[in-house]
Amino acid sequence: MRSLRTGLSLATLVTSLAMLFTAPAAQAADTPLRDLATAKGKVMGTAVTGSKLTGTYGDIAGAQFNSLTPGNAMKWGSVEPTRGSFNWTEADQIVAFAEAHGQQVRGHTLVWHSQNPGWLTNGTWTPAQLSTLLNDHIATEVGRYKGRLAAWDVVNEPFNEDGTYRSTLWYNGLGSGYIAQALTAARAADPAAKLYINDYNVEGVNAKSTALYNLVKSLKEQGVPIDGVGLQAHLILGQVPSTLQQNIQRFADLGVDVAITELDIRMALPADSAKLAQQKADYKAVTAACVAVTRCVNLTVWGFTDSDSWVDSTFPGYGAATPYDANYAPKPAYYGIAEALGGTSTPPPTGACSAAYGVQSQWNTGFTGNVTISCSGASLSSWKVTWTYGAGQQITQAWNATCTQSGAAVSCGNASYNGTVADGGSVSFGLNASWSGSNPVPTVTLG
């Protein structure tokens, strides 16, 4: 990419800056991921936000995946924010959507140290009281969806990195036996659902995954109901563990299923073609490791679009972690998954959509700018452009777009009525801004 810079006499300058863009997401591959996975004896899943299950987001979630995980809707703090007062709205919405689209639901999560309601974490409980709370919560939530959910992440993140038990409300109050208690309660509430223990940084063979291995082995020897382990797989670009397939296999050899439950692969921003190519290779490697082991039954991405990812807000400076970009267009990572599942797909054209920034008029203290988004060989259902001003310019007004500015960084997204850009079409928006000293034209990024 390059940018044009100019002085005070600027009247009208335009710079078109294109980035890789792709065809409509609904036509991302010859065969949807869910069908490719089914042909391999696997289930392809995604975490979802219930309120977004409409429009393009809903279309992709329904067409590409045959398993849904509620990202937050089934966590204790969401379903019982006040003791004895329940809110099942979003959880019910996700289950209903899945059933309407022939999808499984993976319940997430029953017993965790995080995202619990304040009344629970701030309470003072005897072991007997804590045990009753645990049993009652599992009976209530699992019982509500009895026969409708394929699996539950019953216990989430029980270990520290060195393989010792994490200090939590549950471990401190009930000891390590809380894990067997939770699994037993879940089995009683729904005998048909598969029961999992889920954790992160357990993808390769290490101290933490070995602690999980030993726990599962012990639980099985004791006759405690345990059907599988979940490897979250929140990975960093270029850091897929070399022992991933070996680790999956050793759990399978214990007689339990394995699921990749929360896969995303984050990169230092900004994304570029080299990073996206590495991300494709990483997604392909993780998928291939699951395909290679019969008992690796489910591969779930933790949100399929960058606009619904937790990464950007949790890991500053990182992002672009999912298989689809923020405009719901499939990234190279999508094709990495498809290829590992045995699919063939034709990547869509590159450089198909671009953004052009121009200064229409300028006066002593201000100027009027215009940005045009145009497509040739692809189409958009929504759009966002970003840029960074280089000389202290400040937007004072914008029309036909919603713009925000933080320091020098500007982000503008489509209005409710002009998100669609047809193949061969374009949309524009305008802005007024102040300047002082100089008014260089910024580099604009679409996506």
Side-chain angles (χ1 to χ4, degrees), residues 299-329:
L299 179 79
T300 289
V301 294
W302 201 245
F304 62 84
T305 169
D306 290 342
S307 64
D308 194 39
S309 174
W310 72 307
V311 167
D312 301 68
S313 61
T314 307
F315 302 97
Y318 285 80
T322 77
Y324 284 79
D325 69 19
N327 291 305
Y328 303 123

Side-chain angles (χ1 to χ4, degrees), residues 260-271:
I260 307 295
T261 54
E262 305 181 22
L263 175 62
D264 51 32
I265 302 175
R266 62 187 181 270
M267 65 181 70
L269 297 174

Side-chain angles (χ1 to χ4, degrees), residues 101-117:
H101 291 81
Q103 297 167 307
Q104 297 180 2
V105 176
R106 182 179 190 88
H108 179 82
T109 179
L110 295 170
V111 184
W112 191 26
H113 65 271
S114 185
Q115 289 185 247
N116 289 312

Side-chain angles (χ1 to χ4, degrees), residues 358-385:
V359 176
Q360 289 185 315
S361 60
Q362 182 172 293
W363 54 96
N364 290 341
T365 60
F367 65 94
T368 297
N370 179 270
V371 178
T372 299
I373 297 95
S374 56
C375 290
S376 177
S379 62
L380 300 176
S381 59
S382 64
W383 49 263
K384 180 176 75 172
V385 293

Side-chain angles (χ1 to χ4, degrees), residues 30-42 44 62-66 341:
D30 300 333
T31 306
L33 296 180
R34 61 184 286 170
D35 295 341
L36 294 174
T38 298
K40 292 288 186 181
K42 312 298 179 184
M44 186 72 212
Q64 291 289 337
F65 304 96
N66 46 14
L341 291 173

Side-chain angles (χ1 to χ4, degrees), residues 8-79:
L8 294 177
S9 61
L10 176 63
T12 304
L13 280 176
V14 173
T15 179
S16 298
L17 302 116
M19 67 177 292
L20 292 178
F21 230 85
T22 58
Q27 301 174 5
D30 300 333
T31 306
L33 296 180
R34 61 184 286 170
D35 295 341
L36 294 174
T38 298
K40 292 288 186 181
K42 312 298 179 184
V43 173
M44 186 72 212
T46 182
V48 293
T49 301
S51 61
K52 297 183 179 181
L53 285 171
T54 60
T56 304
Y57 182 99
D59 290 344
I60 297 172
Q64 291 289 337
F65 304 96
N66 46 14
S67 175
L68 300 183
T69 301
N72 290 298
M74 289 186 176
K75 292 170 181 173
W76 199 326
S78 298
V79 300

Side-chain angles (χ1 to χ4, degrees), residues 282-293:
D282 290 348
Y283 266 97
K284 187 172 183 177
V286 174
T287 307
C290 183
V291 168
V293 180

